[in-house]
Amino acid sequence: MQPVDARPFGPDDDAITAYLQRDAEVIIGNERIKAGRACVVQQREAYAGQGDAQ
């Protein structure tokens, strides 16, 4: 899981381009979150009932 690179935008930047780039960054970030969540679920299932939980 790596942070999504977010490009800074200023008042002189094109708003449409900035919006589209941020939208793409959010999509990438959401996919990484989903992958991380799935990994945690798989680990919990793999380790369920193993070891001593105290």
Side-chain angles (χ1 to χ4, degrees):
M1 302 288 296
Q2 297 295 322
V4 175
D5 294 328
R7 295 173 198 86
F9 293 100
D12 296 329
D13 293 319
D14 178 55
I16 294 172
T17 300
Y19 170 79
L20 293 173
Q21 288 178 344
R22 288 293 167 138
D23 189 49
E25 291 165 354
V26 168
I27 290 169
I28 292 168
N30 284 338
E31 291 304 314
R32 289 181 184 171
I33 291 168
K34 290 177 191 176
R37 185 178 297 137
C39 180
V40 169
V41 168
Q42 290 172 352
Q43 287 179 344
R44 286 182 180 162
E45 290 172 353
Y47 293 127
Q50 298 180 21
D52 292 329
Q54 296 181 10

